[in-house]
Amino acid sequence: MSNEINHGNLTEEQRSKQARKAGLASVVGTTIEWYDFFIYGTMSALVFPKLFFPGSDPYIGLLQSFTALFIGFLARPLGAAFFGNFGDRIGRKATLVTTLLLMGISSTLIGLLPTYENAGIIVTILLVFFRFCQGFGAGGEWGGSVVLSVEWSAKKSRGLMGSMTQIASPIALLLSSGVISLTIFLTGDHFYTWGWRIPFLISIVLVIIGFIIRRGVADSPQFTKMKKENRLAKKPVVEVFKKYPKTIFFVVLASLAQGVPFYVFTTFSISYGTEQLQMDKQFLTNTILLVAIVEIIVILYAAHLSDKFNRQIVFYVGSLLTILVAFPFFWLFDTKVTVLVVLAMCFSIVGAGTVYGPLATLIAECFPAELRYSGTSLGYQISAAVQGVSPLLCVYLLNTFNSTAPISIYLIVACLISIVAVVMLRKSTKNMDMDMAG
C-alpha cells in the first residue's frame, strides 16, 4: 500500500499526473464518506424518529433523532486527533484508506439494523454507536484529503486543488439525496419499512470503488521528504496544540460560516418543511439535488477566485452573502410556493459555497508540513462538533419561540464570528506560505 515513488526524479508531467490522481482520490474518497454521513442526516429527519425513537410526541422524537445525529459530530474531533496522529507520522494515504473503510462498514451495518419495534433499546444504542464510528472516520478524512491534494499542487492552483475535497460535500449531497429520492419513489409506502435501508447498503459498493482509487495515489512530496530526513513529529497532536493553540482556535471559529448555514439550509430545512409546513418530502429532497449542483459550481468558482485574488476576501464575501439571506430564506420558505422555496434553497447555499471553496486551502496554509494533517483536521473537526448542534438547536429555538427569527440571528452571528476569526488568521497564513511552496 505504500506505493512510494522517487519524487526527486519526477518530471513536470509526472508531477501533474500525480496531482490529478490526488485530486481524483480526494473527490471520490471524500464523496463516499460524506455520502454515508449525509444519508444518516437525512434519515434523522425523515425516518429515524419513527423507527428508532418512537414516542407520542413528534417533537421529542425529532430531538432524540437529532441528538443521535450530533453524536457523530462529537466523534469527529476524536477521529481528527487519532487519525491526525497517524497521518503526520505514518502517511497521508494509508490513513485515508482506513478512514474510508471505517465509514463504509459503519453505514452498511446501519442498513442491516432491526428497528426499535423488533429488538428494543439495543438497536437504538447500536445506531448511536455506528453513528459515532461514522463521525470518528469522518474526523480523519477531511483534513487528510485536503492535505494530500494541496501538498501535491502547484502554488498557482492550490486553492482549486483544495476545493477538490470541498466539492465532494455537495457531490455527496447530490448522490445521497438522489438515491433517497429515487428510493422513496420506487418503494412508496414501503420506504418506512424496508426502503430506507437501500441507501445505506449501497455504501459498501462505493467503498470498494474508493478503496481501489486511493490505493493508486502516492504520498505527497513534502511528507516523503520529511520522512527521509527524519523530520516527522513524534507526537503531532500534542505538538500542534502546544505550538499553535491560537491558530486552531481561530480555525474552529472560521469554519462556522460554512457549517452552520449548510446544516440549517439542508438538514434542518427538510425537517422544518415536512414537519412544520407539511410540505412533500419528495419535493424537498428533489430540491436538495438542485441545491447541491449550485453549490458545486459556486465552490469551484470561489476556489478559482481565491487563487487569482485573495482567499480571505473571497471568504468575507461568502459570509456576507449568508448574512444577507438569513431572514429572506425563511420568508420565502414559509410561503410554501414551489418556485419561491426552490429559489430560497438555491440562493441560500451560495454564501456557504463561496466560503467553502477557499476554506480548505486557507486552513492548510496555517500549519507547517510536519503538523499539517493534525492541525488541519483538529481545527476543522472541532468546529464541526460545534456546527453539529445546529439542527438540534434550530428545533429547540423554533419550538421555544415559535418563530424562525432566532434561527436567522444564529446564522448571522456565526458568520460575523467567522469573519473576525479569518482576520486573525491572516498572519498565520502568510507565515506558512513559503512552507507550502516547498
Side-chain angles (χ1 to χ4, degrees), residues 378-394:
L378 283 165
Y380 185 79
Q381 300 302 349
I382 292 173
S383 182
V386 177
Q387 300 162 18
V389 77
S390 294
L392 187 63
L393 179 60
C394 289

Side-chain angles (χ1 to χ4, degrees), residues 32 34-43 46-48 103-104 106-112 134 172 175-187 190-192 194-207 285:
I32 293 168
W34 286 134
Y35 165 84
D36 292 332
F37 212 69
F38 288 154
I39 55 175
Y40 189 104
T42 303
M43 294 303 182
L46 295 179
V47 176
F48 289 167
M103 178 70 88
S106 300
S107 294
T108 302
L109 290 175
I110 289 175
L112 296 175
Q134 280 190 323
L175 181 61
S176 61
S177 297
V179 170
I180 291 172
S181 182
L182 182 61
T183 302
I184 291 173
F185 175 75
L186 294 177
T187 60
H190 297 293
F191 178 73
Y192 287 101
W194 56 267
W196 66 271
R197 300 179 184 277
I198 296 175
F200 287 102
L201 298 178
I202 288 175
S203 175
I204 195 64
V205 178
L206 299 177
V207 166
T285 51

